[in-house]
Amino acid sequence: MAVKNLGAKWFKLRGWKAFPFQKEVWKALSENKSGLLHATTGSGKTYAVWLGALACWSQVVSEQHSHKKMLQSKVPLTVLWITPMRALSADTYSALKTPLEELKLDWTIGIRTGDTSSYQKTKIINSPPSALVTTPESLSLLLTRSESLNNFAHLKLIVVDEWHELIGNKRGVLLQLALARLRKISPNVLTWGMSATLANLDYAFDVLNPTSNQRCIIQAETRRKIVIDTLFPDKRTRLSYYGHLGLMMLPYVLQEIERYSCSLIFTNTRAQCEMWYQALLEKKPEWAGEIALHHSSLDADARQWVEAAVKSGKLRAVICTSSLDLGVDFSPVEKVFQIGSPKSLGRLLQRAGRSGHSPGKVSRITIVPTYHLEYLEAAAVQLAIKFNRVEPRLSLEKPYDVLVQHMVSTAMSNGFVSEIFFQEVKSTYAYRNLTFAEWNWCIDFLHRGGDSLTAYPEYQRIKLDENNYWQLANANFGKRHLANIGTIVSESQVSVRYWKRGGSKKTLGSIEESFAARLKPGDHFILGGNLLEFVKIYQMIAYVRKGHGKKSYVPRWNGGRLSLSSEVSGAMLNQLELATQAIYKGPEMRFLKALLEIQQYVSAIPSSDRLLIEIWQSREGSHAFLYPFAGRGVHSGLAHLIAFRLATASENTFAMSVNDYGFELLSFKTIDWSTNITHAMFDCDNLVNDIVSSLNAGETAKRRFREIAQISGLIFSNYQGSYKTARQLQASSSLFFEVFSQFDPNNRLLKQAEIEVLNQELEISRLGDALKKIQTMSLNFKIIQHPTPFSFPLVFERFQETLSTEKLTDRVQRMLESIQNDYPDRYYQ
Amino acid sequence: MHFEIECAGENILLLSDRALYWPKKKTLLIADVHLGKAEYFRKNGIPVPVGTTKLILFRLDKLISQYPTENIYFIGDLFHNPDFLSNELLSCFIEWRKRTVSVNCFLVTGNHDKVIDNNVITNNLHILSPSHHLSPFDLTHNFEENSSMFQITGHVHPIYRLKKGSIEKIKFPCFVVRPKVLILPAFGEFVGGYKVSPQINQSIYLCCDQDIIGININ
């Protein structure tokens, strides 16, 4: 029989009091409503939704059987709990399990993620639990098996945890498609999203529940107090003008760590994480065993050990990356450090929330700037938070590569009828504007390789059967597809294992193939805090021994780069505006006073009504630095646009460098910037055309194509079956890009690369706004003799791209002449 | 366009379209065509567009008309996968041979086309051993370490990355000339390449659109 007032009852058992928002959720669920719960971790959101679900659909086990004795629940799969990170799933699992045992309910729970053993995975399909905790990728994998489709027929509730993390990227799109599938299989299933640090809740609800006709949005009132501050070095430390590593701040971070029993130290890259761990260990060898590191390229066992150790209070400090971003409930954590820029308010708040979980405790985060401009950012961030300006997140619009992957997954399970499946896909938010022509292009892509005008003979990934169902054409494609499902695209990963006679199965973690390819036997590198000696690489496995000695490399992983949000950059400009009036508010601005005065003296302080343009002539050529403070994406777009417009007026080649505060153009031919950069250069007319042309003249679209090539199955990073045959089918994405450009220029994947660059990398809508703003500003040209505090970081940032309108031969001649001047002992013809 | 150099006492022309012409013997030397590579991918579920085969044969026709040709030596990997030749590809090849019936075609086998038992091909080409002596050169697909002869080879698909400082980088297929070896660039379409690094006693000739530009590094 069902338990009346299950939630209240269980809370009473635990000695807890239910918050009003929790009662609201329980009520909404009992009224059969879908909803969105806006609550931070540790606020009780999990039990709000879970207990509501149990109240609706669970029963108490009859007296004769204890819960533990039941081998298999007769209750079919009723709740699907989706969490974006593997690190969360174990935690969620324990949290969900507890009330089942204490109230003696008839439900069982399972987990299925990338870390689940194959035995467990089979078990889940053959005898599914009543509730399953899983990730979006694992869900997509489950949906490729027709046997598991049947398991979803009795689904009553889908829970999407940390929805704000998924809504804005391709993982979220894949999830939207998977939800549409589930709603087909179990039409009345409810969906509850849980999100935090989100600005646009109505929108977030609609994307998750596109067919719902009423919105139910519940806000948790509990707001934990958050204390944010900045770490300063003492007066004797020289402030760095560039650098993201930040190790000169280590002594100060150590002082702070000693004041708290447990701290998390967030770094922005994995390499940085490894380096900080080494540096910490070197400075405090007595802390070995009390500190650890955690990032996504470490083996699952290592990660799980760290997570468990933090929870049991064994560790005093953990250095990590975004791998620990999301809500794992680490109650011992008292303090969080953010090394370098957090990039967005949402991220900062989220990370702050990793601390102070116990009731009555305060969340504390300290920003540790790694160079001078990050102090400015730290000031701006704290100001923006005061006004609660968290960033809104928007869903992507109909990406073809994700759709194509989903089509193959569906063809693999039961197959699909085109017209019917089209309607199902169109019911999602991301694909609501998908046209039938675009749909057919995708089908043709899988069936024939392209549209009917460009035939791809002998090619077929899906084929039509006699009942008008599209099915997978060949079982081998299926294996490859399964190994590469998902949208988290990375370079091919190489597993790292100890070299042992008879082989060793234990993996330490993974490194990128490009890094592994450069290693020679005897080279040392660091992974997971271990010093390793490279022995050899064989079939995508790198074998290593314990290393000795000091000199070692830190692997380099290429991750995504988050752009500074406009909320933060806007606040930065405000602070600079005050500085031009000699007003310095707050410890960060006062810290920067001397430096900003130097900037003012040798050049000018960027402001919101005058666009500062610094001009510098060096050995390399003629540089122009511009500071719109609009985030790296927009700056990339601006750099492309201006370079292209200048290069169209007169044949030239430009190199571009960008960061979140400004961008640099380097012209190899002499150019008079002040007469060439006029307001006309920032015209909005023809913006899209010019940017698209600039992309073709540059390299960005080609880079973007890599992700698309992988998601749509042109290239793959996970090898299935014979390594050798798989290798023969591997071609680089740039090779595909070239062959498509030459022989099938209307290919929609190429088009998608273009669109993605426009929307995501160059952030074209923000770009339009930035241009309009610049039209209202005066152009302030300053000639500088040496790099200034603001241009220094750009000078040291590597040039990301070149854009050229020179004839290729001319360009080569120019390069050769210049190289000749640098190396006169070589000669060229 | 071409660049004339001297190797083992013979004048030869390095052609910007990634082939070698020997005027004295009216012979074209071509490596790594990889006909059928795009098809092989398509057959295995990866959509590579059509057009590579036609373009390759068109380029060959053009070379034959520009440079009076009596012989063509393909130095390895003419076919990407000889076990896997579609009718379409074979008929294109037969037609091409009909057009070029006055030209003698030879194939020095490489690693991709080690064994060919297809009649269409064997009827239209002379299949030679993996190493063939065409005085004063040794034609061999892959470079052999201990040889006293001047070798003309392929297999490597050489690409040179021209770098100016660390900022400007452009990649070009190229010819690599050393005292005893000449490595040809890959003639095919949709073929990858491997970077060649600068060395002493090595000259590199970049295939740069219609031009060929020599870089001597001594």
Coordinates of all heavy atoms in Angstrom, one line a residue, chain A residues 168-170 173 392-400 430 432-433 438 561 563-564 630-638 640 687-688 691-692 694-695 700-701 704 707-708 750-769:
Chain A
G168 N 22.6 24.6 -22.8 CA 23.2 25.4 -23.8 C 24.2 24.7 -24.7 O 24.8 25.3 -25.6
N169 N 24.3 23.4 -24.6 CA 25.3 22.7 -25.5 C 24.7 21.5 -26.2 O 23.5 21.2 -26.0 CB 26.5 22.3 -24.6 CG 26.1 21.5 -23.4 OD1 25.3 20.6 -23.5 ND2 26.7 21.7 -22.3
K170 N 25.6 20.8 -26.9 CA 25.1 19.7 -27.7 C 24.6 18.5 -26.9 O 23.8 17.7 -27.3 CB 26.2 19.3 -28.7 CG 26.3 20.3 -29.9 CD 27.3 19.8 -30.9 CE 27.5 20.8 -32.0 NZ 28.5 20.5 -33.0
V173 N 21.1 19.1 -26.4 CA 20.3 18.8 -27.6 C 20.1 17.3 -27.7 O 19.0 16.8 -28.0 CB 21.0 19.3 -28.9 CG1 20.3 18.9 -30.1 CG2 21.2 20.8 -28.8
P392 N 22.0 34.2 -18.8 CA 21.0 33.3 -19.3 C 21.6 32.3 -20.2 O 22.7 32.5 -20.7 CB 20.1 34.3 -20.1 CG 21.0 35.3 -20.6 CD 22.1 35.5 -19.5
R393 N 21.0 31.1 -20.3 CA 21.6 30.1 -21.2 C 20.5 29.7 -22.2 O 19.4 29.5 -21.9 CB 22.0 28.9 -20.4 CG 22.9 29.3 -19.2 CD 23.9 28.2 -18.9 NE 24.3 28.4 -17.6 CZ 25.3 27.7 -17.0 NH1 25.9 26.8 -17.7 NH2 25.7 28.0 -15.8
L394 N 21.0 29.6 -23.5 CA 20.1 29.4 -24.6 C 20.4 28.0 -25.2 O 21.6 27.7 -25.4 CB 20.2 30.5 -25.6 CG 19.9 31.9 -25.1 CD1 20.2 32.9 -26.2 CD2 18.4 32.0 -24.7
S395 N 19.4 27.4 -25.7 CA 19.6 26.1 -26.4 C 20.2 26.3 -27.8 O 20.0 27.4 -28.4 CB 18.2 25.4 -26.5 OG 18.3 24.4 -27.5
L396 N 20.8 25.3 -28.3 CA 21.4 25.4 -29.7 C 20.2 25.2 -30.7 O 19.2 24.6 -30.3 CB 22.4 24.4 -29.9 CG 23.7 24.5 -29.1 CD1 24.6 23.3 -29.3 CD2 24.4 25.8 -29.4
E397 N 20.4 25.7 -31.9 CA 19.4 25.6 -32.9 C 19.7 24.6 -33.9 O 20.7 24.7 -34.6 CB 19.2 27.0 -33.6 CG 18.7 28.1 -32.7 CD 17.2 28.0 -32.4 OE1 16.5 27.4 -33.3 OE2 16.8 28.4 -31.3
K398 N 18.9 23.5 -33.9 CA 19.0 22.4 -34.9 C 20.4 22.0 -35.5 O 20.6 22.0 -36.7 CB 18.0 22.6 -36.1 CG 18.1 23.9 -36.8 CD 17.0 24.1 -37.9 CE 17.2 25.3 -38.7 NZ 16.2 25.6 -39.7
P399 N 21.3 21.6 -34.6 CA 22.6 21.1 -35.2 C 22.4 19.8 -35.9 O 21.8 18.9 -35.4 CB 23.5 20.9 -34.0 CG 22.5 20.8 -32.8 CD 21.2 21.5 -33.2
Y400 N 22.9 19.8 -37.2 CA 22.7 18.6 -38.0 C 23.5 17.4 -37.5 O 23.1 16.2 -37.6 CB 23.2 18.8 -39.4 CG 22.4 19.9 -40.1 CD1 23.0 21.0 -40.7 CD2 21.0 19.8 -40.2 CE1 22.3 22.0 -41.3 CE2 20.3 20.8 -40.8 CZ 20.9 21.9 -41.4 OH 20.2 22.9 -42.0
A430 N 14.9 22.3 -29.7 CA 16.0 22.6 -30.6 C 15.7 22.5 -32.1 O 16.2 23.2 -32.9 CB 17.2 21.7 -30.2
R432 N 12.5 22.6 -33.5 CA 11.2 23.1 -33.8 C 11.1 23.7 -35.1 O 10.0 23.7 -35.8 CB 10.6 24.0 -32.7 CG 11.4 25.4 -32.7 CD 11.1 26.1 -31.3 NE 11.7 27.4 -31.4 CZ 13.0 27.7 -31.5 NH1 13.9 26.7 -31.5 NH2 13.5 28.9 -31.5
N433 N 12.2 24.3 -35.6 CA 12.2 25.0 -36.9 C 12.8 24.2 -38.0 O 13.1 24.7 -39.1 CB 12.9 26.3 -36.8 CG 12.2 27.3 -35.9 OD1 11.0 27.4 -36.0 ND2 12.9 28.1 -35.2
E438 N 15.5 20.0 -44.8 CA 16.7 19.8 -44.0 C 16.7 18.3 -43.5 O 17.7 17.6 -43.4 CB 16.8 20.8 -42.8 CG 17.1 22.2 -43.3 CD 16.8 23.2 -42.2 OE1 15.9 23.0 -41.3 OE2 17.5 24.3 -42.2
R561 N 37.2 26.6 -24.5 CA 37.6 27.8 -23.9 C 36.3 28.6 -23.7 O 35.6 29.0 -24.6 CB 38.5 28.6 -24.8 CG 39.9 28.1 -24.6 CD 40.8 29.0 -25.4 NE 42.0 29.3 -24.6 CZ 43.1 29.8 -25.1 NH1 43.2 30.0 -26.4 NH2 44.2 30.0 -24.4
S563 N 34.2 31.9 -22.9 CA 34.3 33.3 -23.1 C 33.9 34.1 -21.9 O 33.0 33.7 -21.2 CB 33.5 33.7 -24.3 OG 34.1 34.7 -25.1
L564 N 34.5 35.2 -21.7 CA 34.0 36.1 -20.6 C 32.6 36.5 -20.9 O 32.3 37.0 -22.0 CB 35.0 37.3 -20.5 CG 34.9 38.2 -19.2 CD1 35.3 37.4 -18.0 CD2 35.7 39.4 -19.4
A630 N 34.7 42.7 -24.8 CA 33.5 42.0 -25.1 C 33.6 40.5 -25.0 O 32.7 39.8 -25.5 CB 33.0 42.4 -26.5
G631 N 34.7 40.0 -24.5 CA 34.8 38.5 -24.4 C 35.5 38.0 -25.6 O 35.5 38.5 -26.7
R632 N 36.2 36.8 -25.4 CA 37.1 36.3 -26.5 C 36.4 35.9 -27.7 O 36.9 36.1 -28.8 CB 38.0 35.2 -25.9 CG 37.5 33.8 -26.1 CD 38.5 32.8 -25.5 NE 39.8 32.9 -26.1 CZ 40.9 33.0 -25.3 NH1 40.8 33.1 -24.0 NH2 42.1 33.1 -25.9
G633 N 35.1 35.4 -27.6 CA 34.4 35.0 -28.8 C 34.1 36.2 -29.7 O 34.4 36.2 -30.9
V634 N 33.6 37.3 -29.1 CA 33.3 38.5 -29.9 C 34.6 39.1 -30.5 O 34.7 39.5 -31.7 CB 32.6 39.5 -29.1 CG1 32.5 40.9 -29.8 CG2 31.2 39.1 -28.7
H635 N 35.7 39.0 -29.7 CA 36.9 39.6 -30.2 C 37.5 38.8 -31.4 O 38.0 39.4 -32.3 CB 38.0 39.6 -29.1 CG 37.6 40.6 -28.0 ND1 38.1 40.5 -26.7 CD2 36.8 41.7 -28.0 CE1 37.6 41.5 -26.0 NE2 36.8 42.2 -26.7
S636 N 37.2 37.5 -31.3 CA 37.6 36.7 -32.5 C 36.9 37.1 -33.7 O 37.5 37.3 -34.8 CB 37.3 35.2 -32.1 OG 38.2 34.4 -32.8
G637 N 35.6 37.4 -33.5 CA 34.8 37.8 -34.7 C 35.2 39.2 -35.2 O 35.4 39.4 -36.4
L638 N 35.5 40.1 -34.2 CA 35.9 41.4 -34.6 C 37.2 41.4 -35.3 O 37.4 42.0 -36.4 CB 36.0 42.3 -33.4 CG 34.8 42.9 -32.8 CD1 35.0 43.7 -31.6 CD2 34.1 43.8 -33.9
H640 N 38.5 38.9 -37.0 CA 38.3 38.4 -38.4 C 37.7 39.5 -39.3 O 38.1 39.6 -40.4 CB 37.3 37.2 -38.4 CG 37.9 35.9 -38.1 ND1 38.2 35.5 -36.8 CD2 38.3 34.9 -38.9 CE1 38.7 34.3 -36.9 NE2 38.8 33.9 -38.1
L687 N 27.5 42.3 -42.4 CA 28.3 41.7 -41.4 C 28.4 40.2 -41.6 O 29.5 39.7 -41.6 CB 27.6 41.9 -40.0 CG 28.1 41.2 -38.8 CD1 29.6 41.5 -38.6 CD2 27.3 41.5 -37.6
V688 N 27.3 39.5 -41.8 CA 27.3 38.1 -41.9 C 28.2 37.6 -43.2 O 29.0 36.8 -43.1 CB 25.9 37.4 -42.0 CG1 26.0 35.9 -42.2 CG2 25.2 37.8 -40.7
I691 N 31.9 38.2 -42.5 CA 32.4 37.2 -41.6 C 32.6 35.9 -42.3 O 33.6 35.2 -42.1 CB 31.5 37.1 -40.3 CG1 31.6 38.3 -39.5 CG2 32.0 35.9 -39.5 CD1 32.6 38.4 -38.4
V692 N 31.6 35.5 -43.0 CA 31.7 34.2 -43.7 C 32.8 34.2 -44.7 O 33.6 33.2 -44.7 CB 30.3 33.8 -44.4 CG1 30.5 32.6 -45.3 CG2 29.3 33.6 -43.4
S694 N 35.5 36.0 -44.4 CA 36.7 36.0 -43.6 C 37.0 34.6 -43.1 O 38.2 34.2 -43.0 CB 36.6 37.0 -42.4 OG 35.8 36.4 -41.4
L695 N 36.0 33.8 -42.8 CA 36.2 32.4 -42.4 C 36.9 31.6 -43.4 O 37.8 30.8 -43.2 CB 34.9 31.8 -42.0 CG 34.2 32.3 -40.8 CD1 32.9 31.5 -40.5 CD2 35.1 32.2 -39.6
T700 N 39.4 29.2 -39.1 CA 38.5 28.8 -38.0 C 37.5 27.8 -38.3 O 37.2 26.9 -37.5 CB 37.8 30.1 -37.5 OG1 38.7 31.1 -37.3 CG2 37.1 29.8 -36.1
A701 N 36.9 27.9 -39.5 CA 35.8 26.9 -39.9 C 36.4 25.5 -39.9 O 35.7 24.6 -39.6 CB 35.2 27.3 -41.2
R704 N 36.6 24.1 -36.5 CA 35.3 23.9 -36.0 C 34.7 22.6 -36.6 O 34.0 21.8 -36.0 CB 34.3 25.0 -36.4 CG 33.0 25.0 -35.7 CD 33.3 25.1 -34.2 NE 32.1 25.0 -33.5 CZ 32.0 25.2 -32.2 NH1 33.0 25.6 -31.6 NH2 30.9 25.1 -31.6
E707 N 34.9 19.0 -34.8 CA 33.9 18.5 -33.8 C 32.7 17.9 -34.6 O 32.2 16.8 -34.3 CB 33.4 19.7 -33.0 CG 32.3 19.3 -32.0 CD 31.8 20.5 -31.2 OE1 32.6 21.0 -30.4 OE2 30.7 20.9 -31.4
I708 N 32.3 18.6 -35.6 CA 31.2 18.1 -36.4 C 31.5 16.8 -37.1 O 30.7 15.9 -37.2 CB 30.8 19.2 -37.5 CG1 30.4 20.4 -36.8 CG2 29.8 18.7 -38.4 CD1 30.1 21.6 -37.7
L750 N 29.3 21.2 -43.8 CA 30.2 22.4 -44.0 C 29.5 23.7 -43.6 O 30.0 24.5 -42.9 CB 30.6 22.6 -45.5 CG 31.7 21.7 -46.0 CD1 32.0 22.1 -47.5 CD2 33.0 21.7 -45.2
K751 N 28.2 23.7 -44.0 CA 27.4 24.8 -43.6 C 27.3 24.9 -42.1 O 27.3 26.0 -41.6 CB 26.0 24.6 -44.2 CG 25.2 25.8 -44.4 CD 25.4 26.5 -45.8 CE 24.9 27.9 -45.7 NZ 25.8 28.8 -46.3
Q752 N 27.1 23.8 -41.5 CA 27.0 23.8 -40.1 C 28.2 24.3 -39.4 O 28.1 25.0 -38.4 CB 26.7 22.3 -39.5 CG 26.3 22.4 -38.1 CD 26.1 21.0 -37.5 OE1 25.9 20.0 -38.2 NE2 26.3 20.9 -36.2
A753 N 29.4 23.9 -39.9 CA 30.6 24.4 -39.4 C 30.6 26.0 -39.4 O 31.0 26.6 -38.4 CB 31.8 23.9 -40.2
E754 N 30.2 26.5 -40.5 CA 30.1 27.9 -40.7 C 29.2 28.5 -39.6 O 29.5 29.5 -38.9 CB 29.5 28.2 -42.0 CG 30.0 29.4 -42.8 CD 29.5 29.4 -44.2 OE1 28.3 29.7 -44.4 OE2 30.3 29.0 -45.1
I755 N 28.0 27.9 -39.5 CA 27.0 28.4 -38.6 C 27.5 28.4 -37.2 O 27.3 29.3 -36.4 CB 25.6 27.6 -38.7 CG1 25.1 27.9 -40.1 CG2 24.7 28.0 -37.7 CD1 23.9 27.1 -40.4
E756 N 28.1 27.3 -36.8 CA 28.6 27.1 -35.5 C 29.7 28.1 -35.1 O 29.7 28.7 -34.1 CB 29.1 25.7 -35.2 CG 28.0 24.8 -35.0 CD 28.4 23.4 -34.6 OE1 29.6 23.2 -34.3 OE2 27.6 22.5 -34.6
V757 N 30.5 28.4 -36.1 CA 31.6 29.4 -35.9 C 30.9 30.7 -35.6 O 31.2 31.4 -34.7 CB 32.6 29.5 -37.0 CG1 33.5 30.6 -36.8 CG2 33.3 28.2 -37.2
L758 N 30.0 31.0 -36.5 CA 29.3 32.3 -36.3 C 28.6 32.4 -35.0 O 28.7 33.4 -34.3 CB 28.2 32.4 -37.4 CG 28.7 32.7 -38.8 CD1 27.5 32.7 -39.8 CD2 29.4 34.0 -38.9
N759 N 27.9 31.4 -34.6 CA 27.1 31.5 -33.4 C 27.8 31.3 -32.1 O 27.6 32.0 -31.1 CB 25.9 30.6 -33.5 CG 24.9 31.1 -34.5 OD1 24.7 32.2 -34.7 ND2 24.2 30.1 -35.1
Q760 N 28.6 30.3 -32.1 CA 29.3 29.9 -30.9 C 30.6 30.5 -30.6 O 30.9 31.0 -29.6 CB 29.4 28.4 -30.7 CG 28.0 27.8 -30.3 CD 27.8 26.5 -31.0 OE1 28.6 25.6 -30.9 NE2 26.7 26.5 -31.8
E761 N 31.5 30.4 -31.7 CA 32.8 31.0 -31.4 C 32.9 32.4 -31.5 O 33.4 33.1 -30.7 CB 33.8 30.3 -32.4 CG 34.2 28.9 -31.9 CD 35.3 28.4 -32.8 OE1 36.2 29.1 -33.2 OE2 35.3 27.1 -33.0
L762 N 32.3 33.0 -32.6 CA 32.3 34.4 -32.8 C 31.2 35.1 -32.2 O 31.1 36.3 -32.1 CB 32.4 34.7 -34.3 CG 33.5 34.0 -35.1 CD1 33.5 34.5 -36.5 CD2 34.8 34.2 -34.5
E763 N 30.2 34.3 -31.7 CA 29.1 34.9 -31.0 C 28.4 36.0 -31.8 O 28.4 37.2 -31.3 CB 29.5 35.4 -29.6 CG 30.0 34.2 -28.7 CD 30.4 34.7 -27.3 OE1 29.5 35.2 -26.6 OE2 31.6 34.5 -27.0
I764 N 27.9 35.7 -32.9 CA 27.5 36.8 -33.9 C 26.5 37.7 -33.3 O 26.5 38.9 -33.7 CB 27.1 36.1 -35.2 CG1 27.0 37.2 -36.3 CG2 25.7 35.4 -35.0 CD1 27.7 36.9 -37.5
S765 N 25.6 37.3 -32.4 CA 24.6 38.3 -32.0 C 25.3 39.3 -31.0 O 25.0 40.5 -31.1 CB 23.5 37.6 -31.3 OG 24.0 36.6 -30.4
R766 N 26.2 38.8 -30.2 CA 26.9 39.7 -29.4 C 27.8 40.6 -30.2 O 28.1 41.8 -29.9 CB 27.8 39.0 -28.4 CG 27.1 38.6 -27.1 CD 28.0 37.8 -26.2 NE 28.9 38.6 -25.4 CZ 29.8 38.2 -24.5 NH1 29.9 36.9 -24.3 NH2 30.6 39.0 -23.8
L767 N 28.3 40.0 -31.3 CA 29.2 40.8 -32.2 C 28.4 42.0 -32.8 O 28.9 43.1 -32.8 CB 29.6 39.9 -33.4 CG 30.6 40.4 -34.3 CD1 31.9 40.9 -33.6 CD2 31.0 39.4 -35.3
G768 N 27.2 41.7 -33.2 CA 26.4 42.8 -33.7 C 26.2 43.9 -32.7 O 26.4 45.1 -33.0
D769 N 26.0 43.5 -31.5 CA 25.8 44.5 -30.4 C 27.1 45.3 -30.2 O 27.1 46.5 -30.0 CB 25.4 43.9 -29.1 CG 24.0 43.2 -29.2 OD1 23.3 43.7 -30.1 OD2 23.8 42.3 -28.4

